[in-house]
Amino acid sequence: MATLYAGTSGFAYPTWKPRFYPAQLPTSRFLDHYATRLNCVEVNYTFRNIASPKTIENWIKKTPPGFQFCPKAHMRITHILRLRDAREPTLAFLQSLQPLRKAGKLGPILFQLPPNLKLDLETLTTFLKLLPKKYRFAFEFRHASWFSDAVYNVLRKHNAALCIAESEKLETPQVSTADFAVYRLRHPKYTAKDRRALAAILNVRIAACDDVYAFFKHDQAPVGALHADKLLRGV
């Protein structure tokens, strides 16, 4: 059965008190509370750091069965090597996530490419071939040259998702390339009407038996977290 996962890009924000986190809640219990209302989180921390075994063990302990962590791939892979000759750091990064996978709490891993990286189909194809089949991967392309049938086809071949990302500068086409979907929802405001329209889109994917992961933007205010909560509750 397909599942809707909704959350935000991060959770450790004291400024979310008291609208999302209770006013007296200590920082050490933020994740515990977050996981009572939302069922996934995008982990930006892993973009600059390799999470330690102790950190990951803590994440696992503080969240219920089925909760999903969706790490952003390390910047060395996406921004320094730009997917080229990236086998060793990629496999090391995946190895660091093994405890999450074994606990059933590892969602899609996001490869967010730099905005100035233009289409390079050969590099993408080579990179996809080195990725183990037992993981879910999503790719966020931030240059319009990547939006082509050739890219969609190679993603489909490897069951990798085209991340549907919103931004003020670029809108990703609504193209399905995997048996799951990843949405990064970045508009500053979503009305009730906007959320209903979004839910209708996501429900189409869920009806096709695809798990859907939807991440609202983190901010100093808890607006994104509240949107995710309403999306899960259908309001």
Side-chain angles (χ1 to χ4, degrees):
M1 182 177 179
T3 301
L4 170 62
Y5 295 95
T8 56
S9 301
F11 62 85
Y13 307 107
T15 52
W16 287 8
K17 297 179 180 181
R19 293 176 61 196
F20 186 79
Y21 293 130
Q24 303 305 316
L25 189 73
T27 304
S28 61
R29 293 185 56 200
F30 278 7
L31 180 56
D32 310 61
H33 182 84
Y34 178 102
T36 66
R37 301 182 64 175
L38 307 177
N39 59 359
C40 71
V41 65
E42 182 182 83
V43 186
N44 284 324
Y45 176 83
T46 53
F47 179 68
R48 297 185 183 278
N49 306 275
I50 297 296
S52 69
K54 183 177 180 179
T55 295
I56 291 181
E57 180 183 359
N58 189 51
W59 291 346
I60 293 170
K61 286 182 177 179
K62 287 179 173 290
T63 52
F67 188 91
Q68 300 278 280
F69 292 88
C70 302
K72 186 181 289 187
H74 197 276
M75 63 184 296
R76 176 168 175 76
I77 302 166
T78 56
H79 286 59
I80 298 175
L81 297 176
R82 297 160 77 92
L83 305 186
R84 289 180 174 270
D85 301 318
R87 179 182 179 85
E88 183 176 337
T90 300
L91 296 183
F93 178 74
L94 296 179
Q95 182 61 35
S96 74
L97 303 174
Q98 277 294 303
L100 283 175
R101 191 183 73 83
K102 290 180 179 178
K105 294 187 176 183
L106 180 61
I109 297 161
L110 176 68
F111 292 97
Q112 184 188 61
L113 302 187
N116 63 354
L117 182 58
K118 298 180 180 179
L119 172 63
D120 185 340
L121 189 61
E122 181 180 355
T123 294
L124 176 64
T125 301
T126 300
F127 184 74
L128 282 164
K129 288 178 180 178
L130 72 84
L131 298 179
K133 304 295 184 185
K134 58 188 175 184
Y135 298 87
R136 283 178 164 177
F137 300 102
F139 287 78
E140 181 182 352
F141 302 113
R142 294 192 287 170
H143 192 281
S145 61
W146 291 94
F147 301 145
S148 70
D149 288 339
V151 171
Y152 307 149
N153 288 337
V154 74
L155 290 176
R156 288 190 184 103
K157 182 177 179 181
H158 295 275
N159 196 39
L162 172 70
C163 176
I164 311 300
E166 299 175 338
S167 76
E168 296 179 359
K169 298 180 179 180
L170 191 67
E171 289 282 338
T172 308
Q174 291 274 350
V175 177
S176 173
T177 62
D179 61 5
F180 62 97
V182 177
Y183 287 77
R184 300 188 81 235
L185 307 165
R186 292 309 189 249
H187 292 321
K189 184 178 179 180
Y190 292 88
T191 64
K193 181 179 179 181
D194 294 333
R195 288 196 305 272
R196 288 194 295 271
L198 173 63
I201 293 171
L202 302 186
N203 285 337
V204 170
R205 294 300 305 269
I206 292 170
C209 296
D210 295 346
D211 287 339
V212 173
Y213 298 81
F215 299 103
F216 289 90
K217 185 178 180 179
H218 64 282
D219 210 335
Q220 291 303 306
V223 177
L226 296 172
H227 284 326
D229 179 63
K230 291 175 182 177
L231 184 64
L232 285 172
R233 293 188 289 115
V235 297

